[in-house]
Amino acid sequence: ELVTLPVPTAAEPKPLQGTWEGVTVGAEKDGKITITITGNSLHFHRDTNFWFETTITLPAGTDPKQLHATIKGCPPSQGTSIGKVVRAFFKIEDGTLTLATIGDDAEATPKSFEATEVQGQTRYELRKVREVTKGREGRGSTADFADDADGK
């Protein structure tokens, strides 16, 4: 007997929105990783020779949560990557985004983020960058200090 299952819809990427900075676990010496997510666009940047512009989808109903990034742009040295889909799973806990790649030949998503290193996969740990908001205009201007100096 055939059973029709509901089609999962794409999950909402809102908690991921913003800029995240961190490192590749086990390769911290390679420098800082910055990931910026706006809408369904994800920009990954390590350095001028290793960055990617992607479009992401978040398949619904996955545990752990997954992210699929289709590479749209990259440096010339990574040119063969355009059009490839990078699969990853992620979690956000205590303000930290942990993102781990899923190998191309992996049939199933690992259930443990710690197991990714054993399986030769890449894991990133990043913290959200706080947005700097501008204060009240005129505050701290030289006119304010002049008034204070006069004692008025």
Side-chain angles (χ1 to χ4, degrees):
E1 175 181 335
L2 289 175
V3 176
T4 304
L5 298 174
V7 177
T9 57
E12 196 56 40
K14 279 194 174 45
L16 291 170
Q17 299 292 308
T19 299
W20 301 81
E21 290 182 347
V23 295
T24 304
V25 175
E28 292 82 358
K29 67 177 179 4
D30 289 345
K32 180 175 70 173
I33 302 293
T34 303
I35 293 177
T36 303
I37 300 173
T38 308
N40 67 344
S41 296
L42 181 149
H43 177 82
F44 176 99
H45 186 271
R46 185 185 72 200
D47 57 49
T48 55
N49 296 312
F50 199 78
W51 59 267
F52 299 94
E53 289 288 347
T54 71
T55 299
I56 60 171
T57 57
L58 304 177
T62 58
D63 182 24
K65 293 179 180 171
Q66 288 189 27
L67 177 152
H68 296 177
T70 303
I71 298 172
K72 302 289 184 195
C74 57
S77 61
Q78 302 289 329
T80 58
S81 297
I82 291 182
K84 288 190 176 171
V85 177
V86 177
R87 297 182 310 138
F89 60 107
F90 69 93
K91 67 180 177 182
I92 300 173
E93 281 181 358
D94 301 323
T96 298
L97 168 63
T98 303
L99 183 71
T101 60
I102 303 169
D104 290 338
D105 52 359
E107 288 295 316
T109 303
K111 295 291 182 197
S112 163
F113 285 85
E114 289 69 35
T116 57
E117 292 168 36
V118 176
Q119 297 174 14
Q121 296 162 327
T122 306
R123 188 172 95 213
Y124 304 98
E125 289 190 356
L126 310 112
R127 292 197 61 85
K128 192 170 243 183
V129 176
R130 297 241 180 253
E131 300 271 336
V132 176
T133 56
K134 293 186 178 176
R136 212 178 53 193
E137 285 201 11
R139 188 173 183 184
S141 71
T142 54
D144 291 342
F145 294 116
D147 288 344
D148 290 343
D150 293 335
K152 293 182 183 173

